[in-house]
Amino acid sequence: MASISNSMEAKEDDDNNKYSIIVPTYNERLNIALIVYLIFKHLQNVNFEIIVVDDGSPDGTQEIVKQLQQVYGEDRILLRPRAKKLGLGTAYIHGLKHATGNFVVIMDADLSHHPKYLPSFIKKQIETGASIVTGTRYVSGGGVHGWNLMRKLTSRGANVLAQTLLWPGVSDLTGSFRLYKKSVLEDVISSCVSKGYVFQMEMIVRASRKGYHIEEVPITFVDRVYGSSKLGGSEIVEYLKGLLYLLVTT
Amino acid sequence: MKHIVKIMALLVALSAIWISLLQTSVLPESYTWLLPLYSIVTLGCYGLLMVGVGLMRFPTCPQESLLLQEDIVEAKGFLKEKGVDVGSD
């Protein structure tokens, strides 16, 4: 009897979950429309909201988001813009302030993260009770498309280096498709100072050091279809600096 | 404990073992002197091997790109119908 009521309680808890999906954008007018459509397509029986943090895109991204609000409702799509480009880490903090869910999903707007994986993140979290579910490209079922040999080599080298030096317990450190308990994200994000995509690594390493339960699900990563990639040439130097920084501070 | 401290502790422990090997001369001394060099070379080989293996078994997903194209066509069609401006680009 007790077990029945417990499982019913758990079921009820699942139904009460709300997911706030934070999507930072800069010049993603087409991609944001596509991603919103795909999120609604793949999360039909889930209570969620999409928070678009747009850093003053000159291409009219915000106009498109307003049109999408007309289609899907202003309570489902929240536009929380900022005046200018202020960086990824602060975009998440900004979006987090407006999040009303008890879970937060962070994903890129450029379609390299496909919303069809969202149900597997949610399922994994419910099954394991994890504080963080992170998408990994480096296990079977996952993968990457559109990278040349150099990009693959850099990625593998960076990963081996990080695994050897940091022992993070996570196979994909620089991926940024993740689901967090809201309280955990608030806790971890406040202690992160890095910029750019070292920030993703810092988040997961700090969370791992703090002893949060982290689970992984396979995702595929298709390099951006529309728009140009925003990664600069000094990527490797920044990565090594980030690694060193994490080595001495975590 | 900071992670760098863990790694330092590991290095100190390894050095201690090495020094005690030097002192007790269980192995011939010339071997023992070269042990750190061997370790470094082994670590380097391990790293290169892992990168090589990782590169060979790098999971790719060309079919995902095609599926995404289908999704994009579908999404564009729906959004255009609803009056969202997805025409340009």
Side-chain angles (χ1 to χ4, degrees):
Chain A
M1 195 63 197
S3 74
I4 292 173
S5 74
N6 272 345
S7 69
M8 279 179 70
E9 241 167 61
K11 182 77 182 78
E12 204 159 276
D13 280 350
D14 293 349
D15 289 344
N16 287 335
N17 285 339
K18 182 172 180 181
Y19 300 86
S20 298
I21 303 168
I22 301 178
V23 188
T25 57
Y26 185 76
N27 286 351
E28 304 280 7
R29 57 174 287 143
L30 180 54
N31 285 329
I32 192 64
L34 299 174
I35 206 163
V36 163
Y37 169 81
L38 290 170
I39 291 172
F40 275 90
K41 180 184 171 190
H42 290 282
L43 288 183
Q44 293 194 344
N45 298 310
V46 177
N47 185 11
F48 70 92
E49 64 187 359
I50 302 171
I51 302 172
V52 181
V53 181
D54 184 67
D55 277 5
S57 304
D59 76 339
T61 300
Q62 291 179 29
E63 294 310 311
I64 295 289
V65 175
K66 282 170 193 159
Q67 292 176 12
L68 290 163
Q69 285 178 324
Q70 299 307 311
V71 178
Y72 292 102
E74 286 183 23
D75 55 328
R76 306 300 298 278
I77 303 174
L78 284 62
L79 177 59
R80 297 291 179 266
R82 302 189 296 173
K84 58 178 168 69
K85 226 177 169 182
L86 293 167
L88 211 53
T90 55
Y92 295 138
I93 294 172
H94 183 80
L96 197 51
K97 273 187 224 149
H98 302 281
T100 60
N102 53 336
F103 288 95
V104 175
V105 174
I106 281 175
M107 63 191 295
D108 291 350
D110 63 5
L111 289 180
S112 53
H113 296 157
H114 198 297
K116 70 181 167 192
Y117 296 105
L118 286 168
S120 67
F121 279 79
I122 291 170
K123 186 162 165 264
K124 187 74 162 185
Q125 196 287 322
I126 289 170
E127 278 171 5
T128 61
S131 298
I132 302 174
V133 181
T134 177
T136 177
R137 297 162 287 188
Y138 303 135
V139 296
S140 76
V144 169
H145 177 73
W147 283 10
N148 59 19
L149 185 65
M150 196 58 206
R151 185 83 195 268
K152 286 180 183 170
L153 182 67
T154 320
S155 157
R156 289 320 308 177
N159 205 266
V160 168
L161 207 57
Q163 295 292 342
T164 312
L165 291 176
L166 293 174
W167 317 341
V170 180
S171 65
D172 189 350
L173 287 170
T174 50
S176 53
F177 195 176
R178 293 176 185 152
L179 181 147
Y180 297 83
K181 278 184 182 162
K182 191 185 176 195
S183 56
V184 172
L185 180 57
E186 284 167 338
D187 177 30
V188 175
I189 210 165
S190 63
S191 47
C192 289
V193 299
S194 301
K195 297 265 178 290
Y197 89 129
V198 173
F199 174 79
Q200 307 297 353
M201 182 161 70
E202 179 170 15
M203 291 272 280
I204 206 75
V205 172
R206 287 202 188 278
S208 165
R209 298 283 190 263
K210 281 171 186 263
Y212 287 120
H213 179 180
I214 304 172
E215 290 284 339
E216 296 188 306
V217 290
I219 58 162
T220 57
F221 182 98
V222 178
D223 216 3
R224 49 185 303 125
V225 186
Y226 295 112
S228 56
S229 186
K230 286 156 197 155
L231 296 174
S234 59
E235 190 181 330
I236 295 173
V237 178
E238 285 306 310
Y239 178 82
L240 292 176
K241 278 201 268 182
L243 205 58
L244 203 65
Y245 164 75
L246 287 178
L247 200 57
V248 295
T249 60
T250 68
Chain B
M1 187 163 63
K2 298 271 186 256
H3 195 70
I4 188 80
V5 181
K6 276 188 220 164
I7 290 180
M8 286 303 176
L10 188 68
L11 289 178
V12 169
L14 288 175
S15 325
I17 293 171
W18 179 59
I19 290 167
S20 65
L21 278 179
L22 272 181
Q23 297 292 325
T24 53
S25 57
V26 188
L27 296 169
E29 196 163 292
S30 57
Y31 285 6
T32 318
W33 274 110
L34 285 172
L35 266 181
L37 189 66
Y38 290 155
S39 325
I40 292 168
V41 171
T42 310
L43 194 65
C45 288
Y46 163 79
L48 286 178
L49 188 76
M50 291 307 285
V51 172
V53 168
L55 207 54
M56 278 193 303
R57 300 177 54 188
F58 204 101
T60 54
C61 47
Q63 76 288 357
E64 287 298 323
S65 165
L66 301 173
L67 291 174
L68 183 60
Q69 292 305 329
E70 288 170 19
D71 286 338
I72 288 172
V73 171
E74 178 189 323
K76 274 186 172 173
F78 175 85
L79 292 167
K80 208 170 268 177
E81 211 169 89
K82 295 282 179 181
V84 178
D85 176 20
V86 289
S88 66
D89 205 331

